[in-house]
Amino acid sequence: MASQEDLIELAKRRGFFFGANGAYGGVAGFYTYGPNGAAVKDNLESAWRDRFTVRQGNMEIEAPTIMPEAVFEASGHLDGFDDMLVECPECGESHRADHLIEDNTGIEEAESLPIAEVEELIREHDLHCPSCDAPLAGEPVEDFNLMFETSIGPGSGQPGYMRPETAQGIFVEFPRLKEYARNRLPFGVTQIGPAYRNEISPRKGIIRVREFTQAELETFIDPAEDEPPLHEVEDVEVTLYPADEQEAEGGDAYTTTVGEAVAEGVIGSDWVGYYLGVAQEWYERIGVDMGRFRFRQHLPGELAHYAADCWDAESEVSGDWIEITGFAYRSDYDLSKHAEHSGESFTVFKQYDEPKTVERATVDPDMATLGPEFGGDAGAVAEALQTLAERDPDAFDADAVEVEVDGETVTVDSDVANFSVEEVTENGEHITPHVVEPSFGIDRIVYTVLEHAYREDEVDGEERTYLALDPEMAATDAAVFPLVSNDDRLLDLADDVTADLRAAGLAVEYDDSGSIGRRYRRQDEVGTPFCLTVDRDGIEGDGPNTVTVRERDTARQVRVPVAEVADEIAALLDPEDDHAFDALAAAYDELETDVETA
């Protein structure tokens, strides 16, 4: 198992990720992905898009990363998107109070605790500033909003914010997206892109940063009728850590199947259960170690205001459990809030199988009376009366009714409202869909995949470090080495092999620098699955030209004809093909050889 220091050092040395803007001293919480890291991240995003967009039959959009203030007023982010901050009285450094408690008290989850309890825990455990060791007992803990504020346009402009999640870019476009879905539920919309949170104390490399990438799926459903294809994943085994186990003394995670967990009510939503099963299989596909993985249910105090049930996919890295994905049943909270604040329709028309005759409460206000009495607010008063009629028709039995307009209560005579109940025939109804959301933190999954692939062993008497990445995730598919750099025949053949592999759509590294052993070690450290060595034995003799193919994890080698090598490597890398290195070795057994690696 790699330590955090080992992995971050390897990531920096081999071009996976490193602190950004180093020439100017850097800024905490911002990282640049180097050539290998950018490739791994791109591969992971492609695998996610394949599973959650293409195979699910969902739409994908790309929304702006800066949005006007009104969006976040409606979503609740302006009022409730906070972390708890405590500032050191000596050095002025700000720290996340809940993290200080989790790191120093044995309490696993402090984010959901009230501020007063957090302040008491800081006093009780005499916690000190991690930067200068000054005592923090008695210092106030405050809510700190995590959104980056900006101004849209010149001068003071229009206030806006950099999005703290990609989801709102989907929700605000729902009135148009439902048209693309032909107004039929269920349908899903995905998005992969950057989000921004002004973290109080970024840490642990790319695990907690201020700019990060999310891959989110918003599935819009009719809660009364739509059911997921649970049968597809009901037998998938998952490791669950439910709320009751977290709260029980000695409680722990356990293994069950998705179907059993849903049937027993451990997972409260069929839809959430379905996506846990889909995600479980996807994590296995990309190389997450299932022995260091679990789904943890949110405790009651952790649940977001919109969530009826929420689970996190967690991976264990460097001895800590980190959230890498959230699965939430968001109900109709988001669409209802945007409808309320924007005045647009965020509903879908649901056609009945047969027309229905129903009683409908309605009002026909006397505007000749409301106009002089309420002036410009008369229209708003009329709308409020209609809303009241639909919600509480019995209210009009009284001589007068009260409604709220712009925060003020006004009284209207029932006779002026002209309340009545009419029979109408309806062909359908407008419903506000509910939303089921799997939200993936791409950067944390990249870190997980890298750490879970980290290996150390010995080859040919030398210690080596290598990344046992799934070939689908590796930055480079293959590397080509001419054994020596002073033989034009070898160099020409190595160039031809490289060109053939690239023409087959493979990512290929060409390396003629240093000993063959060192070249192997470099590729092992970045997780390249196969190395191809061109030597004199491969171009001399009566048979076809050959190259030696070396497999990363076992360091086994087999000699393969040059004319066949591009097809053979492509087959080994194809996740849909059962082609295995053992079969390759058996097919070319008569050519098998060893290449000096030291």
Side-chain angles (χ1 to χ4, degrees):
M1 181 187 300
S3 69
Q4 180 182 323
E5 292 75 17
D6 288 339
L7 187 62
I8 290 179
E9 190 277 331
L10 174 67
K12 183 177 180 180
R13 179 162 48 84
R14 292 301 183 200
F16 285 100
F17 58 83
F18 48 87
N21 308 304
Y24 292 92
V27 178
F30 295 95
Y31 278 80
T32 293
Y33 281 91
N36 286 313
V40 170
K41 182 171 179 281
D42 183 66
N43 291 340
L44 195 148
E45 291 174 5
S46 295
W48 189 91
R49 180 176 286 111
D50 171 70
R51 185 62 189 88
F52 291 94
T53 303
V54 177
R55 298 194 186 201
Q56 296 286 122
N58 293 322
M59 299 184 282
E60 180 176 2
I61 70 165
E62 183 175 338
T65 58
I66 295 176
M67 306 176 78
E69 184 178 57
V71 171
F72 301 110
E73 287 178 343
S75 68
H77 283 87
L78 281 185
D79 296 327
F81 198 66
D82 305 312
D83 277 342
M84 289 181 282
L85 177 150
V86 61
E87 184 176 306
C88 175
E90 294 296 328
C91 69
E93 283 291 313
S94 295
H95 305 285
R96 274 200 51 175
D98 54 320
H99 285 172
L100 291 177
I101 291 170
E102 292 167 358
D103 293 344
N104 295 282
T105 68
I107 295 175
E108 290 189 12
E109 197 286 310
E111 186 176 1
S112 61
L113 299 177
I115 283 180
E117 187 172 343
V118 169
E119 291 175 334
E120 178 58 33
L121 285 168
I122 291 175
R123 283 192 293 269
E124 178 184 333
H125 292 273
D126 191 25
L127 300 186
H128 284 225
C129 172
S131 301
C132 72
D133 200 37
L136 297 175
E139 296 302 312
V141 174
E142 299 176 344
D143 282 330
F144 174 75
N145 192 282
L146 300 178
M147 287 197 297
F148 284 102
E149 186 174 5
T150 187
S151 181
I152 302 171
S156 59
Q158 179 184 5
Y161 292 87
M162 302 179 78
R163 66 185 185 192
E165 61 179 15
T166 63
Q168 297 306 320
I170 296 175
F171 296 142
V172 298
E173 306 302 348
F174 179 81
R176 189 175 296 275
L177 295 172
K178 70 178 182 182
E179 300 296 332
Y180 300 152
R182 299 184 181 90
N183 288 286
R184 295 177 182 173
L185 297 174
F187 71 88
V189 182
T190 67
Q191 184 170 195
I192 303 175
Y196 307 86
R197 297 181 185 179
N198 195 9
E199 292 284 351
I200 296 168
S201 52
R203 56 182 183 170
K204 297 183 178 180
I206 57 174
I207 291 177
R208 186 170 294 279
V209 290
R210 288 175 167 137
E211 178 180 351
F212 54 95
T213 300
Q214 283 186 313
E216 294 193 299
L217 163 60
E218 310 300 333
T219 302
F220 300 97
I221 66 169
D222 177 353
E225 292 188 359
D226 293 333
E227 296 181 355
L230 194 62
H231 64 278
E232 295 178 1
V233 297
E234 62 185 354
D235 294 327
V236 172
E237 288 195 346
V238 288
T239 299
L240 302 182
Y241 194 21
D244 58 355
E245 288 290 328
Q246 297 172 55
E247 295 174 326
E249 184 176 350
D252 203 354
Y254 60 87
T255 300
T256 184
T257 66
V258 170
E260 290 171 349
V262 170
E264 294 169 3
V266 177
I267 300 174
S269 162
D270 289 7
W271 281 97
V272 170
Y274 169 69
Y275 281 122
L276 294 190
V278 172
Q280 169 84 17
E281 295 180 325
W282 182 76
Y283 295 125
E284 293 183 39
R285 165 182 166 179
I286 64 173
V288 173
D289 181 353
M290 291 295 106
R292 302 164 65 185
F293 176 86
R294 69 188 184 191
F295 290 108
R296 186 185 71 84
Q297 187 177 30
H298 279 205
L299 295 169
E302 289 181 87
L303 282 174
H305 49 275
Y306 52 73
D309 192 19
C310 187
W311 291 75
D312 288 341
E314 295 187 330
S315 66
E316 185 273 314
V317 294
S318 306
D320 295 325
W321 287 98
I322 63 168
E323 173 196 349
I324 58 175
T325 305
F327 300 83
Y329 190 102
R330 299 182 71 123
S331 67
D332 63 351
Y333 173 84
D334 299 280
L335 298 187
S336 295
K337 283 295 184 180
H338 285 300
E340 176 186 335
H341 282 73
S342 69
E344 295 290 324
S345 171
F346 283 73
T347 63
V348 170
F349 185 74
K350 177 181 176 180
Q351 187 85 27
Y352 295 146
D353 294 335
E354 296 181 358
K356 296 181 181 179
T357 300
V358 298
E359 290 186 342
R360 182 167 302 283
T362 186
V363 293
D364 182 20
D366 182 355
M367 300 306 293
T369 302
L370 294 185
E373 185 172 354
F374 298 107
D377 291 333
V381 172
E383 290 181 9
L385 288 170
Q386 180 60 48
T387 300
L388 178 63
E390 295 170 358
R391 186 182 73 246
D392 183 16
D394 292 340
F396 291 85
D397 291 341
D399 293 335
V401 295
E402 293 183 344
V403 293
E404 188 172 299
V405 177
D406 292 335
E408 294 186 5
T409 300
V410 300
T411 301
V412 179
D413 289 343
S414 295
D415 291 342
V416 174
N418 286 326
F419 171 82
S420 64
V421 176
E422 301 174 353
E423 281 194 352
V424 295
T425 299
E426 296 181 342
N427 295 311
E429 63 178 321
H430 289 273
I431 65 168
T432 301
H434 284 202
V435 178
V436 187
E437 176 193 76
S439 175
F440 293 72
I442 295 296
D443 307 86
R444 292 185 175 193
I445 300 175
V446 168
Y447 190 97
T448 295
V449 167
L450 292 178
E451 184 177 309
H452 287 193
Y454 188 97
R455 305 283 192 276
E456 293 177 346
D457 68 359
E458 186 176 297
V459 173
D460 296 330
E462 289 188 0
E463 293 183 356
R464 70 161 178 165
T465 297
Y466 70 101
L467 296 180
L469 291 169
D470 185 279
E472 188 180 12
M473 292 297 105
T476 304
D477 295 320
V480 177
F481 308 148
L483 188 61
V484 295
S485 59
N486 58 358
D487 187 324
D488 288 344
R489 295 178 303 165
L490 295 188
L491 297 176
D492 289 344
L493 184 56
D495 285 342
D496 290 344
V497 170
T498 300
D500 288 346
L501 291 169
R502 288 174 176 164
L506 306 183
V508 181
E509 178 80 12
Y510 179 95
D511 189 354
D512 61 3
S513 175
S515 71
I516 193 71
R518 289 189 176 182
R519 282 182 265 177
Y520 281 151
R521 300 298 173 262
R522 284 197 288 268
Q523 296 304 319
D524 289 344
E525 281 197 325
V526 300
T528 303
F530 303 102
C531 293
L532 286 65
T533 302
V534 181
D535 60 11
R536 290 191 177 94
D537 289 343
I539 61 174
E540 296 174 350
D542 297 331
N545 289 340
T546 61
V547 296
T548 299
V549 178
R550 173 187 181 269
E551 195 267 340
R552 176 197 63 212
D553 294 355
T554 63
R556 291 179 58 197
Q557 302 178 39
V558 61
R559 193 173 288 280
V560 178
V562 168
E564 308 293 335
V565 73
D567 289 341
E568 294 290 1
I569 296 297
L572 287 169
L573 293 167
D574 185 353
E576 303 297 328
D577 196 322
D578 291 333
H579 207 75
F581 194 80
D582 285 342
L584 180 72
Y588 298 103
D589 184 58
E590 72 277 5
L591 300 176
E592 192 162 3
T593 188
D594 291 324
V595 172
E596 189 68 31
T597 60

